[in-house]
Amino acid sequence: FVGTVRERTALASRKPSDVPFVGRSAALGRVQACLERARGGTGRIVAIAGEPGIGKTHLAEVAAERANGLGIPSAWGYCRDLDAAPPFWPFVQLLRGALRVSHVSPAVRTEVDEALAALTPEASSSGWAADASSYRLFDGVAQALRALTAGGPLLLLLDDVQWADAASLRLLAYLAPEIARLPLVIVATVRNLEALASDGRLQQVLGHRDCERIELDRLTPADVAEYTELRLGQAANEVSRAVFAKSAGNPFFMVELLRPYWQSA
């Protein structure tokens, strides 16, 4: 039994901008304004908040693509709802990613490697337990970020911060007052529901004066109609109205409801 084989474009080659982006222009403009400020030497934390499926990660992806267009490299760190994740793992990902996308001198690489060694127990014979809560460890990460941004601004993206481990939240809270003096933007996506019951340090970060909070609302009927037209290549008022009625403007459900239409086109 052999099915029909259809050739499809590799998903790995798809860019965030290839997916229709509607209803988020104002939010993207706020992120881009922070990137422009970072080019002038003033950093900021940007928290993109909203319910599951509202488009937080997609907005962050488009922001990273926009940063690339401005000549600003970006790196990602992912917080996962897994007990097995070691402390500080999102920041380990960020620092390693920043080394990959930035052209750094041997001296800067050494400083970043030292910060990574302090964050990763497997890289140190003494482990991180003795210094995990000390300001010396946090300051080492801040110094590594200062070295990484000495040659130009940098964008770091933390996805699903509501699932970050307590150690990572302490580190993020430590960096919040430091970021205004760095050409650095940290974009963090966070689910509202989890954040309300999360560690108090996350609330400390979200309420900091150098943290800009962007709340994403559900899409409007006009947004859904625009997405439908862009995706299908033609206006489909009845389809868009039906999709909005069933999705209530949640982008994830909107995309899933429309998938049979554009995949069969």
Side-chain angles (χ1 to χ4, degrees):
F1 298 93
V2 180
T4 302
V5 177
R6 294 191 179 101
E7 184 177 355
R8 297 181 64 183
T9 304
L11 291 177
S13 63
R14 190 183 71 179
K15 298 184 297 183
S17 58
D18 292 336
V19 179
F21 186 70
V22 301
R24 302 293 185 235
S25 297
L28 180 60
R30 290 174 64 182
V31 179
Q32 183 163 345
C34 292
L35 292 172
E36 295 287 357
R37 289 181 58 186
R39 296 174 76 181
T42 302
R44 199 155 178 81
I45 294 175
V46 180
I48 302 175
E51 66 182 79
I54 204 67
K56 302 179 294 295
T57 300
H58 188 204
L59 173 58
E61 290 171 341
V62 175
E65 192 174 276
R66 187 66 58 88
N68 183 62
L70 295 172
I72 301 175
S74 60
W76 285 80
Y78 301 94
C79 308
R80 294 290 180 253
D81 190 16
L82 299 172
D83 293 334
F88 301 116
W89 191 247
F91 281 94
V92 171
Q93 293 177 305
L94 288 176
L95 291 176
R96 288 175 176 171
L99 284 177
R100 288 194 297 269
V101 300
S102 304
H103 300 289
V104 299
S105 66
V108 171
R109 180 172 291 275
T110 297
E111 189 151 8
V112 176
D113 285 341
E114 289 177 356
L116 283 168
L119 293 176
T120 51
E122 68 274 11
S124 172
S125 59
S126 60
W128 50 261
D131 294 328
S133 61
S134 71
Y135 281 95
R136 185 171 63 226
L137 184 149
F138 295 158
D139 185 63
V141 175
Q143 292 298 330
L145 292 175
R146 188 169 288 108
L148 282 167
T149 56
L154 177 66
L155 170 64
L156 300 179
L157 304 109
L158 279 169
D159 200 27
D160 284 323
V161 174
Q162 75 280 350
W163 289 329
D165 60 277
S168 293
L169 290 177
R170 288 197 299 270
L171 176 51
L172 186 59
Y174 178 87
L175 293 174
E178 303 287 327
I179 198 166
R181 295 181 290 277
L182 297 173
L184 173 68
V185 175
I186 299 178
V187 170
T189 69
V190 55
R191 290 186 182 182
N192 281 338
L193 297 179
E194 286 86 347
L196 293 176
S198 187
D199 191 294
R201 292 176 181 84
L202 178 55
Q203 294 299 327
Q204 180 182 346
V205 173
L206 297 178
H208 195 273
R209 64 181 182 182
D210 291 319
C211 178
E212 181 159 351
R213 185 163 179 167
I214 300 176
E215 295 276 356
L216 295 186
D217 297 322
R218 294 192 175 192
L219 299 177
T220 67
D223 296 330
V224 175
E226 181 183 358
Y227 182 93
T228 302
E229 183 173 353
L230 290 171
R231 177 57 82 180
L232 302 184
Q234 60 183 353
N237 294 332
E238 290 186 8
V239 172
S240 67
R241 283 195 293 267
V243 167
F244 179 79
K246 291 185 177 181
S247 68
N250 181 288
F252 174 79
F253 294 120
M254 173 191 69
V255 171
E256 292 305 307
L257 287 166
L258 277 170
R259 193 179 300 278
Y261 292 94
W262 61 263
Q263 284 188 334
S264 62

